[in-house]
Amino acid sequence: MTKTLILLFHPDLAHSKANAALAAAAAKLPAVELVDMQAIYPHGIDLSKDGEREARRLLECDRIVLQFPIQWYSTPPLLKAWQDAVLTRMFYIAYESEGHMLEGKPLMVAATAGNIPDAYRPGGRNMFTMNALLAPLQATAHRCGLPWAEPFVLYQANKLSAEALDAAAIEYAATLKRWIVSSTALGVKALEPRRAAQ
């Protein structure tokens, strides 16, 4: 059985409703490892001290989910710090032994947002589509050779009723199941790994 790694970047999961509900549903799926990154790195993540452990975590899975709340049109600070520490190590310091080995693993983003879907459109309250706001992560996935899956986005995350949150959690788990099956069917390493620029 292949392994799915969900890295959860929520700055205060104890006070989360939406991300906590999504995480609880995802954690019940078989062969899914959910890691609360804020709990592990409450004071930040360091390239030299933590990079090797986190690189190993990525190399031991078959697909990766980055789960987080959208904050000021971006990712939480720890997710950016993780990118700086772990992906810099893997793709610029240890490419042959780490970055090259990561290429081809599918990546999905699972994000929560506070506003309604209509706010995320050209001319809407937030001016940009969610795809535009997630473009830096998609560009990162492209650079690292990680096949990009359609993001799972939960809107009005802090305003949903308990029943709506339960339904969203069920939908998230179902989305993950479909993605796991489809990426397994295609072969998690189906893409030919990119070669380093000469």
Side-chain angles (χ1 to χ4, degrees):
M1 181 173 286
T2 61
K3 177 178 165 185
T4 302
L5 175 66
I6 301 177
L7 300 178
L8 175 58
F9 293 91
H10 192 289
D12 189 2
L13 193 59
H15 291 94
S16 166
K17 292 181 182 174
N19 272 278
L22 297 181
K28 293 176 185 170
L29 296 174
V32 167
E33 177 186 2
L34 189 133
V35 181
D36 180 353
M37 298 298 282
Q38 189 68 42
I40 296 173
Y41 301 108
H43 305 295
I45 189 168
D46 179 77
L47 174 83
S48 57
K49 187 175 67 169
D50 308 312
E52 182 179 358
R53 173 168 69 163
E54 290 307 314
R56 193 174 334 111
R57 192 189 307 275
L58 291 177
L59 292 175
E60 290 172 354
C61 75
D62 297 295
R63 68 193 61 75
I64 305 155
V65 179
L66 302 177
Q67 183 183 325
F68 58 90
I70 298 284
Q71 297 181 320
W72 285 106
Y73 313 106
S74 187
T75 62
L78 184 59
L79 176 47
K80 180 60 171 82
W82 175 87
Q83 289 177 265
D84 291 343
V86 181
L87 298 181
T88 297
R89 173 197 167 87
M90 295 183 82
F91 286 89
Y92 290 97
I93 297 170
Y95 174 73
E96 288 302 323
S97 60
E98 294 179 357
H100 176 69
M101 302 303 293
L102 185 67
E103 291 174 344
K105 294 190 182 193
L107 175 73
M108 177 188 278
V109 163
T112 59
N115 217 325
I116 60 174
D118 196 51
Y120 297 92
R121 62 172 177 79
R125 181 170 175 85
N126 294 322
M127 199 166 134
F128 294 99
T129 66
M130 188 57 71
N131 282 341
L133 295 176
L134 294 175
L137 286 176
Q138 187 172 8
T140 299
H142 175 75
R143 165 63 184 85
C144 297
L146 309 175
W148 179 258
E150 183 69 26
F152 178 91
V153 181
L154 178 61
Y155 295 94
Q156 293 184 282
N158 58 338
K159 300 172 186 74
L160 296 175
S161 67
E163 293 78 14
L165 274 178
D166 287 345
I170 291 167
E171 182 185 353
Y172 180 46
T175 299
L176 286 172
K177 280 185 200 174
R178 286 191 301 273
W179 176 61
I180 290 166
V181 168
S182 67
S183 66
T184 302
L186 291 173
V188 291
K189 295 290 270 183
L191 293 185
E192 181 65 26
R194 283 186 313 107
R195 299 291 175 216
Q198 300 295 324

